[in-house]
Amino acid sequence: EAYEALNDMIKNKSLELEVVEKKDGTTYAKITVDGKSVAEEMVKKGLAWYYDREDPKNTKLASMMENAKKDGRGLWTPPTPPWEFRNKK
């Protein structure tokens, strides 16, 4: 599900990358497409985690992940017991 959502968001589009170097020397990129943060869109849909240890001051991503959890979106969808899953087929 996350792969398809990401693919739909970025396929055949121009991406803007902002490369950031952290104090420990590691780097990461902030990716934007059509003026939207890819990270924010994926976290908002519940299709990616926000790792607060890497960016503890990012209250926006933290809030988006909490809302996705509360609403049961993506990764936070309640699990379906196997016997119920099999009965859906």
Side-chain angles (χ1 to χ4, degrees):
E1 185 178 350
Y3 173 83
E4 286 89 11
L6 181 59
N7 192 44
D8 289 346
M9 191 183 320
I10 67 172
K11 189 175 183 177
N12 299 321
K13 296 189 179 173
S14 294
L15 304 177
E16 185 176 317
L17 299 162
E18 177 189 348
V19 178
V20 178
E21 186 170 344
K22 298 187 330 182
K23 291 178 183 177
D24 65 3
T26 59
T27 58
Y28 67 96
K30 293 181 180 181
I31 305 169
T32 307
V33 62
D34 295 334
K36 295 180 182 178
S37 163
V38 171
E40 288 179 7
E41 292 301 309
M42 295 297 285
V43 170
K44 189 186 319 181
K45 293 175 183 176
L47 300 174
W49 293 73
Y50 158 63
Y51 187 44
D52 62 350
R53 197 166 128 191
E54 292 293 322
D55 191 6
K57 295 179 182 175
N58 194 331
T59 56
K60 187 174 185 180
L61 278 177
S63 176
M64 288 175 168
M65 188 168 85
E66 287 306 312
N67 286 334
K69 280 183 183 180
K70 184 179 68 180
D71 296 341
R73 292 190 300 264
L75 296 163
W76 314 111
T77 302
T80 303
W83 55 90
E84 288 180 18
F85 179 80
R86 285 191 296 271
N87 287 333
K88 289 181 181 180
K89 290 185 175 184

